[in-house]
Amino acid sequence: NAGVTQTPKFRVLKTGQSMTLLCAQDMNHEYMYWYRQDPGMGLRLIHYSVGEGTTAKGEVPDGYNVSRLKKQNFLLGLESAAPSQTSVYFCASSYVSGNTEAFFGQGTRLTVV
Amino acid sequence: KQEVTQIPAALSVPEGENLVLNCSFTDSAIYNLQWFRQDPGKGLTSLLLIQSSQREQTSGRLNASLDKSSGRSTLYIAASQPGDSATYLCAVNSGGGADGLTFGKGTHLIIQP
């Protein structure tokens, strides 16, 4: 009963490096989301997907790219990491955005030095 | 733009007390509202989901109410226990083109033994 799984759980990057965060869900959910959580700012939506092959921008998309090649996976990429991207990243999924609850992963703590 | 506010930002009470956490939102056109619990360094655990047509939901010692017209929700915790210590987050789903949840900044709750 895995639910939403994020990989990795922790990472330290140097400024300018790239990396990909992986989110996998085993609930056959259509909708998937990436959020970032910063002290004093709460959780903010980065990108989301309403189905396989689709992606859309959220509130804070700059500096990030995403892909949804398979329904169960949603990847978040940082092409050139910046210290401002130091944050805790959460992935979430749901069946249909309007009517059902969202389930969250355990988070990825990323530090960019 | 939807905005969610949670009051108080922090709360410390003795064990056994009943308490109320407040959440307000600026746009009453919502699909649903969800209450989450977040333990330090952990992900978000869904506590209660209230659809826009509902007035309240209950789960064990937790009761959440929704007054959509006034843009308010409350989370009532009965007979508080030290294990209830966590940050409680309120999130609304406004639907539309930009899916995803809009979060409040949370209430940090400490239950004193």
Side-chain angles (χ1 to χ4, degrees):
Chain A
N1 191 15
V4 180
T5 303
Q6 293 183 230
T7 308
K9 291 184 171 50
F10 303 92
R11 186 73 185 267
V12 178
L13 283 180
K14 293 183 179 179
T15 298
Q17 286 185 322
S18 63
M19 78 165 294
T20 300
L21 282 68
L22 171 63
C23 176
Q25 53 93 3
D26 61 1
M27 296 172 283
N28 201 33
H29 286 171
E30 289 291 336
Y31 285 48
M32 296 187 74
Y33 312 87
W34 277 107
Y35 294 86
R36 60 177 290 174
Q37 185 177 35
D38 302 291
M41 301 294 294
L43 279 93
R44 293 177 292 169
L45 183 65
I46 305 172
H47 285 280
Y48 66 98
S49 168
V50 299
E52 181 177 318
T54 75
T55 63
K57 295 180 180 179
E59 181 184 357
V60 289
D62 294 343
Y64 305 96
N65 57 76
V66 288
S67 64
R68 183 102 180 264
L69 299 180
K70 295 182 178 181
K71 185 177 182 179
Q72 62 269 35
N73 296 336
F74 195 28
L75 278 62
L76 178 71
L78 287 74
E79 290 187 349
S80 180
S84 60
Q85 294 178 303
T86 294
S87 186
V88 181
Y89 292 86
F90 287 101
C91 177
S93 69
S94 66
Y95 276 116
V96 174
S97 176
N99 298 321
T100 65
E101 66 183 306
F103 294 86
F104 280 74
Q106 289 301 296
T108 295
R109 186 173 295 275
L110 175 66
T111 302
V112 183
V113 298
Chain B
K1 177 186 175 185
Q2 180 75 268
E3 294 181 1
V4 178
T5 302
Q6 290 188 245
I7 295 173
L11 181 64
S12 180
V13 300
E15 179 179 5
E17 284 199 4
N18 302 323
L19 55 99
V20 174
L21 308 182
N22 297 292
C23 172
S24 62
F25 46 95
T26 55
D27 185 349
S28 62
I30 65 170
Y31 280 78
N32 58 47
L33 182 145
Q34 201 165 345
W35 282 94
F36 294 89
R37 168 185 174 140
Q38 185 176 28
D39 293 288
K42 303 294 185 182
L44 281 67
T45 300
S46 180
L47 297 173
L48 290 164
L49 171 73
I50 309 179
Q51 302 293 353
S52 61
S53 59
Q54 297 175 320
R55 297 285 293 182
E56 65 179 310
Q57 282 286 345
T58 298
S59 176
R61 295 183 292 108
L62 304 179
N63 176 277
S65 68
L66 175 65
D67 184 342
K68 197 175 73 163
S69 61
S70 67
R72 295 178 186 276
S73 176
T74 62
L75 179 66
Y76 175 83
I77 302 177
S80 59
Q81 303 171 358
D84 295 330
S85 298
T87 296
Y88 291 79
L89 297 167
C90 168
V92 299
N93 186 334
S94 303
D99 283 317
L101 299 172
T102 303
F103 282 83
K105 295 180 181 179
T107 294
H108 181 54
L109 176 65
I110 296 175
I111 306 299
Q112 306 157 11

